[in-house]
Amino acid sequence: METLQIVPSRIIGGRSTDNAIFKSFSGVRQLGSASLSWRNRKIQSLCVKKRWYNDGRRFMCRSSSSSSAQDKEQGEGTLLGTERDSTGSVVGFNLIPHSATRGEEILESQENVANGGDELSEDIETHDKALPKITLNIVFVTSEAAPYSKTGGLGDVCGSLPIALAQRGHRVMVVSPRYLNGSPSDEKYANAVEMESQAKIFCFGGVQEVGYFHEYRAGVDWVFVDHPSYHRPGTPYGDIFGAFGDNQFRFTLLCQAACEAPLLLPLGGFTYGEKCIFLANDWHAGLVPVLLAAKYRPYGVYKDARSIVVIHNLAHQGVESAVTYKNFGLPDGWYKALEWVFPTWARTHALDPGEAVNVLKAAIVTSDRIVTVSQGYSWEITTPEGGYGLQDLLSSRKAVISGITNGIDANEWDPSSDELIPSRYSVDDLSGKVECKIALQKELGLPIRPDCPMIGFIGRLDYQKGVDIILSAIPDLMKDDVQFVMLGSGEKQYEDWMRHLESSYIDKFRAWVGFNVPISHKITAGCDILTMPSRFEPCGLNQLYAMKYGTVPVVHSTGGLRDTVLNFNPYANEGAGEGTGWAFSPLSKENLLAALRIAAGTYKDHKSSWEGLMKRGMERDSSWDKAATQYEQVFEWALIDPPYAG
Ligand SMILES: Nc1ncnc2c1ncn2[C@@H]1O[C@H](COP(=O)(O)OP(=O)(O)O[C@H]2O[C@H](CO)[C@@H](O)[C@H](O)[C@H]2O)[C@@H](O)[C@H]1O
């Protein structure tokens, strides 16, 4: 079993509460060696021994002649000297708390996950209190990371979870493309500095050179992969003509470059080295676990690394024709990992063999663990309804699937400090909320009526989000005394349908077609109700934002929506009520209408119940810190077993 590096939580990281202890702590670490391309890399143990200290911002190190630490009593446990890897190199310290019997607790945790996801949170909470922290090198690989790039929830998660993990003491890198599309949003990369290192990547029948830009912000190393294919108008994935035809190429480059980054880039002076946890987010990063297994481990590189695929949306899998396998830059023997054969009914014609490569499938069969963004979704993906063809594979790996509900970025989404809304408010003083509503009505040119229930929708306009169901319900809903505002961009048919409805219900309905973050904040704050009739929803963030802003969600009871929105029950708690919204099922226009009408009626006629709904939502714990502790638990489990593939 892999020995874990254990340090007391008070000592490591920006959350230190005791500087005296911090200053007295010093250690010896092995640092990864700088390297060229993997093909030329001679595996070597250039162990640079350094003494680490904290300058108040991040770890720094000084050269040290010391080769071993003295056993030492600390307030929280016994420092048992240095820890070495199989080659004898020092990799860290062991600090054992006085009371914990670590091995037993880890075994217990494993049993708990085998018994079902429900115990995950409970187990982790106990764990966090009882054990000292384990600090790790964590590498996020993602096609989006807010604020640099964002088209949806993936950007939000990869922009804030890394910060939460860094605040808990881990060394965290996020690797994402440096998209330049010629618009003012290019300025977001202004603080990222070009690094001297480049990587040569063998793929698509040639050699590509990628550069790296780096910004150290909020305790995280933000690394942007630079290549001409990321510089073009449009979104990260496409433009007005549709998805880019070379996305397989662009995201192969991202994965290859991300695997090189920990070995190559001296971030803050030192590389991350080989002992990393890679978090491969969605199909765009799905090649990472395959590369670790197929391209690196056979040469002894990354033998101590682990990979976790994080599924934000199973509907997108990165499927291309089978002949493109040769493009990935993988050894020949790994075709089976990517092989994907469409069932007969899904083939285009009688002679179509249905042979394809599927990047997300490859990630599922080669990663050490699998995380989905809610517990409900972790079960749904193992069913024919939610598995998008991968349900059998996912079921076969059920023992390593964990569902962790996303958190929200409290720096961006907090009504008491949000600069994007006209009036700030909190659970103790809700008066600003009605001012936000009036300002929104004014901005949208709707009648200014603070008493009229205002319903909102924010999201990508596609089949997943049930936009068609909302739009078909609008003519009926417009008979009621309500106002409705929709913000979204996506499929043209829905955009046109929204514009058409706006012209038909000019006094009640507003369509804002486009992607606009400030408006999304104003709608979240100004509306009374936010609806999300998603067909499936791996987690959903807008309902979490809505609850934080005292806006009551009305959602289809699926995936993360079912996990996070607790149905209103006015009779519970001796009449005080419970619940934070309405979660209806099954999904239909009639059920959506009924739920929205009940919500609007409660808003109008039961003011104290409504206030209870708002306040319970606002007080709900949606912090990233809670989710981060659950990710830490998954990291520990990943490190217990040897690498799953390679
Ligand atoms: N037109 C617009 N203007 C401004 N902002 C807009 C917008 N359209 C969407 N957004 C923003 O994009 C984000 C969307 O997040 P979601 O989680 O609801 O959905 P998404 O399907 O993209 O994410 C996938 O990944 C996330 C993260 O894991 C899962 O929560 C989710 O279920 C899964 O489908 C929110 O921050 C929202 O405000």
Side-chain angles (χ1 to χ4, degrees), residues 483-562:
Q483 294 180 345
F484 204 115
V485 52
M486 283 183 80
L487 167 67
S489 59
E491 286 183 34
K492 188 171 176 311
Q493 52 164 335
Y494 298 136
E495 296 185 355
D496 292 345
W497 196 352
M498 279 164 60
R499 290 191 184 102
H500 168 73
L501 286 170
E502 178 173 296
S503 58
S504 306
Y505 304 100
I506 196 75
D507 281 348
K508 290 186 169 183
F509 184 85
R510 280 294 171 277
W512 191 297
V513 175
F515 193 92
N516 190 316
V517 172
I519 292 293
S520 74
H521 282 246
K522 288 178 189 174
I523 291 176
T524 305
C527 285
D528 305 297
I529 298 163
L530 186 103
T531 190
M532 291 179 72
S534 306
R535 286 196 165 76
F536 69 95
E537 197 58 80
C539 176
L541 294 172
N542 286 314
Q543 84 280 11
L544 303 180
Y545 301 148
M547 287 188 274
K548 192 51 78 193
Y549 281 64
T551 302
V552 176
V554 173
V555 303
H556 173 215
S557 181
T558 181
L561 297 174
R562 180 172 41 220

Side-chain angles (χ1 to χ4, degrees), residues 150 153 156 312 406 460 464-465 514 516 537-542:
K150 167 177 162 176
D156 284 344
H312 300 263
N406 288 331
R460 289 182 292 109
Q464 175 194 345
K465 301 293 177 185
N516 190 316
E537 197 58 80
C539 176
L541 294 172
N542 286 314

Side-chain angles (χ1 to χ4, degrees), residues 227-302:
H227 186 271
S229 66
Y230 302 136
H231 305 169
R232 59 175 68 151
T235 74
Y237 313 110
D239 58 16
I240 49 167
F241 303 108
F244 295 133
D246 59 350
N247 278 344
Q248 188 191 43
F249 170 70
R250 298 163 79 234
F251 296 118
T252 296
L253 280 186
L254 170 67
C255 295
Q256 295 263 14
C259 289
E260 289 292 310
L263 307 171
L264 198 60
L265 303 179
L267 303 174
F270 303 94
T271 63
Y272 274 52
E274 294 178 34
K275 194 172 177 180
C276 295
I277 301 274
F278 285 88
L279 285 168
N281 292 275
D282 275 353
W283 82 263
H284 321 96
L287 214 53
V288 168
V290 197
L291 288 167
L292 297 183
K295 181 175 155 181
Y296 290 89
R297 282 201 191 106
Y299 298 87
V301 185
Y302 282 134

Side-chain angles (χ1 to χ4, degrees), residues 221 226 245 430 632:
D221 290 304
D226 197 43
L430 290 167
E632 284 173 339

Side-chain angles (χ1 to χ4, degrees), residues 136-437:
L136 299 164
N137 289 344
I138 299 166
V139 181
F140 281 76
V141 187
T142 175
S143 59
E144 329 181 358
Y148 308 99
S149 53
K150 167 177 162 176
T151 68
L154 173 64
D156 284 344
V157 172
C158 292
S160 44
L161 173 59
I163 296 173
L165 286 164
Q167 283 170 351
R168 295 180 61 78
H170 304 286
R171 194 176 181 206
V172 186
M173 176 196 313
V174 179
V175 187
S176 189
R178 181 168 174 264
Y179 301 110
L180 299 179
N181 63 12
S183 78
S185 69
D186 293 354
E187 273 305 299
K188 291 176 180 160
Y189 298 99
N191 294 330
V193 176
E194 184 165 13
M195 304 206 69
E196 282 175 12
S197 316
Q198 286 90 31
K200 282 197 166 31
I201 289 168
F202 297 82
C203 65
F204 281 73
V207 183
Q208 299 291 329
E209 187 168 289
V210 296
Y212 296 91
F213 283 67
H214 173 240
E215 179 181 355
Y216 180 75
R217 180 181 60 79
V220 172
D221 290 304
W222 304 90
V223 172
F224 304 107
V225 179
D226 197 43
H227 186 271
S229 66
Y230 302 136
H231 305 169
R232 59 175 68 151
T235 74
Y237 313 110
D239 58 16
I240 49 167
F241 303 108
F244 295 133
D246 59 350
N247 278 344
Q248 188 191 43
F249 170 70
R250 298 163 79 234
F251 296 118
T252 296
L253 280 186
L254 170 67
C255 295
Q256 295 263 14
C259 289
E260 289 292 310
L263 307 171
L264 198 60
L265 303 179
L267 303 174
F270 303 94
T271 63
Y272 274 52
E274 294 178 34
K275 194 172 177 180
C276 295
I277 301 274
F278 285 88
L279 285 168
N281 292 275
D282 275 353
W283 82 263
H284 321 96
L287 214 53
V288 168
V290 197
L291 288 167
L292 297 183
K295 181 175 155 181
Y296 290 89
R297 282 201 191 106
Y299 298 87
V301 185
Y302 282 134
K303 61 189 186 334
D304 291 334
R306 297 292 186 277
S307 58
I308 296 167
V309 58
V310 185
I311 299 176
H312 300 263
N313 195 333
L314 197 61
H316 305 281
Q317 300 177 3
V319 179
E320 295 275 354
S321 157
V323 295
T324 62
Y325 174 77
K326 62 182 187 312
N327 293 340
F328 292 119
L330 288 166
D332 288 343
W334 285 81
Y335 175 72
K336 280 280 171 194
L338 283 112
E339 182 183 38
W340 181 248
V341 182
F342 282 103
T344 321
W345 61 263
R347 299 181 194 172
T348 49
H349 54 79
L351 299 178
D352 178 0
E355 287 166 7
V357 284
N358 182 328
V359 177
L360 189 60
K361 176 242 165 176
I364 288 166
V365 299
T366 53
S367 58
D368 295 293
R369 295 200 68 98
I370 299 163
V371 169
T372 63
V373 289
S374 70
Q375 289 197 358
Y377 195 59
S378 70
W379 169 77
E380 284 178 13
I381 59 171
T382 63
T383 67
E385 292 78 14
Y388 279 85
L390 294 173
Q391 62 273 11
D392 292 340
L393 266 181
L394 286 160
S395 299
S396 73
R397 300 216 62 200
K398 213 171 188 167
V400 296
I401 302 180
S402 306
I404 302 177
T405 304
N406 288 331
I408 64 177
D409 181 353
N411 289 325
E412 191 191 348
W413 293 96
D414 180 350
S416 65
S417 55
D418 190 338
E419 298 284 331
L420 297 172
I421 61 175
S423 291
R424 273 149 289 285
Y425 57 93
S426 68
V427 73
D428 300 319
D429 177 9
L430 290 167
S431 56
K433 183 154 174 74
V434 74
E435 289 169 31
C436 290
K437 181 174 180 178

